[in-house]
Amino acid sequence: MIRREVDVSAVRQRLGLPVNVEGWLARSATPGEPTAGPVPPPPEQAYALLERLGVPEPDRLPAIEAMPTPDGTPELWWLLEHCHRELCRDLADLRPIAPWPSLPASLGPAGRYFYLHVFLAALPTTRRLHDSLGIPAEVSWHTLADLGAKMAIHRRTHGQGGLDRQNWLTRHFRGSLYRLGRLQFDRFRLDPAVAAGSPLAGQPVLDVHIPEDGPLALADCDESFASAAVFFARHFPQEPYPAAVCRSWLLDDQLAEYLPPTANIIRFQRRFRLFPPVLDGDHDVFEFVFRQHPTDLAELPQDTALQRAVVTHLRSGRHWRIRTGWTPL
């Protein structure tokens, strides 16, 4: 595909994108060397791939039907080329790519499923990268299936199909993040401001993330951490990772006031030594515990010990916090 001159402002206006994304778009709008463009799979193959990626069944056919084409939807196709180029450039680099904006609701299914189309077009490139690194196929597919998990959350939250976690998923498709058992581990360089006074400041570490698909059992987490030490030493030997780091509301030590010492969350907390910075965590708690941001706490369900703890704490006038901790590998 030859990179061609494009009127970025006109494309942005026709798609209904905000003015502040023009700089992002312009980076791929100037002529340059020929590059391989996206080649979306044919419908039957696309359906099988979406199934393997865990995309909810009600979303598969609508997503395929909404896929952009060069002739039918030229502006969306150009944007697909742009995102594909960004996603597949400098794979496995520790530096993240610039954030991708959500598309306007006026585009309907074509906008809601747009980033799914980007990831589907990039899938062969990502799988080739994993193969070149010797990543086992089961780890590769388990990692990339987070796409389907995020689409399932979108459907539960919004009552319709779509994908709005595109910036999170770029880590998976660029070879940065891998799921190993219960946990995900992202290749990451620790911000010195977060780790002030620590020997880890500015060093490569594994950033720990917790998929929302089951209990945080002690034995499962033990197995994941043990697997991570072996996995990254084997597949990224040029990048030593002395420690794993987690930044989450789950590390807020105030939770110990409400949950028993045997609770999975409290056991998970004990793995980590906390860094000093403390961030406001109310937004994250509402997002991950309730999937909603209420105007009145009475709107929130009280079905679990964690839900009751969250509401009791907030009703007392206190707030939840995001903490960052580290644990040696």
Side-chain angles (χ1 to χ4, degrees):
M1 179 74 62
I2 303 295
R3 293 175 66 180
R4 58 195 182 280
E5 289 282 5
V6 171
D7 185 340
V8 170
S9 181
V11 170
R12 179 192 63 75
Q13 291 178 39
R14 284 195 288 270
L15 291 176
L17 299 175
V19 174
N20 61 7
V21 306
E22 285 197 8
W24 169 64
L25 296 175
R27 287 200 300 274
S28 285
T30 54
E33 294 298 321
T35 59
V39 182
E44 288 187 5
Q45 182 184 356
Y47 191 94
L49 290 172
L50 293 178
E51 183 177 17
R52 188 158 195 183
L53 290 169
V55 172
E57 191 277 334
D59 291 323
R60 295 172 199 161
L61 287 178
I64 292 170
E65 292 168 354
M67 190 172 292
T69 62
D71 298 326
T73 51
E75 291 84 13
L76 274 177
W77 181 259
W78 180 84
L79 188 60
L80 179 67
E81 290 181 315
H82 172 92
C83 293
H84 181 270
R85 188 158 39 243
E86 280 207 315
L87 188 63
C88 296
R89 181 190 299 132
D90 300 325
L91 288 176
D93 194 292
L94 282 176
R95 294 169 297 179
I97 62 176
W100 289 346
S102 295
L103 301 194
S106 59
L107 292 173
R112 296 200 311 273
Y113 291 118
F114 174 76
Y115 288 109
L116 169 62
H117 301 146
V118 175
F119 292 124
L120 193 59
L123 181 60
T125 302
T126 302
R127 290 285 294 120
R128 285 194 295 271
L129 171 68
H130 286 177
D131 286 343
S132 71
L133 293 170
I135 307 297
E138 60 270 22
V139 172
S140 176
W141 286 108
H142 197 198
T143 296
L144 299 176
D146 201 21
L147 185 153
K150 294 299 179 284
M151 292 188 66
I153 291 172
H154 185 284
R155 179 165 283 279
R156 291 199 307 270
T157 303
H158 303 288
Q160 63 181 355
L163 178 65
D164 57 4
R165 299 300 178 92
Q166 64 271 12
N167 293 306
W168 163 245
L169 288 161
T170 60
R171 308 178 189 203
H172 309 54
F173 281 79
R174 286 179 54 75
S176 176
L177 180 148
Y178 296 90
R179 180 158 185 179
L180 303 172
R182 180 64 185 89
L183 303 172
Q184 296 165 324
F185 298 87
D186 189 13
R187 299 161 52 238
F188 182 73
R189 191 172 296 276
L190 191 60
D191 185 347
V194 173
S198 163
L200 296 176
Q203 297 299 310
V205 294
L206 296 178
D207 198 12
V208 181
H209 300 276
I210 306 161
E212 304 165 58
D213 56 9
L216 201 57
L218 179 65
D220 292 342
C221 293
D222 286 343
E223 184 176 353
S224 286
F225 280 103
S227 296
V230 175
F231 177 91
F232 287 95
R234 176 179 298 155
H235 301 291
F236 298 92
Q238 75 284 6
E239 299 173 3
Y241 291 99
V245 170
C246 184
R247 185 177 75 168
S248 174
W249 62 273
L250 286 168
L251 296 190
D252 187 346
D253 50 7
Q254 296 178 109
L255 285 164
E257 299 176 27
Y258 303 94
L259 301 178
T262 55
N264 286 333
I265 291 175
I266 304 304
R267 288 177 168 179
F268 185 78
Q269 288 185 349
R270 293 197 199 111
R271 297 175 185 274
F272 297 93
R273 309 173 194 177
L274 296 179
F275 292 120
V278 177
L279 302 175
D280 175 55
D282 288 351
H283 180 277
D284 280 25
V285 169
F286 285 136
E287 177 69 20
F288 292 105
V289 177
F290 299 104
R291 288 291 169 196
Q292 60 177 294
H293 298 269
T295 55
D296 186 341
L297 293 177
E299 301 171 13
L300 297 174
Q302 298 284 275
D303 301 325
T304 69
L306 180 58
Q307 291 174 341
R308 291 189 290 273
V310 167
V311 172
T312 298
H313 188 80
L314 293 171
R315 279 180 172 155
S316 72
R318 301 165 71 188
H319 294 279
W320 294 106
R321 307 176 300 193
I322 294 173
R323 301 299 309 270
T324 303
W326 69 279
T327 184
L329 286 176

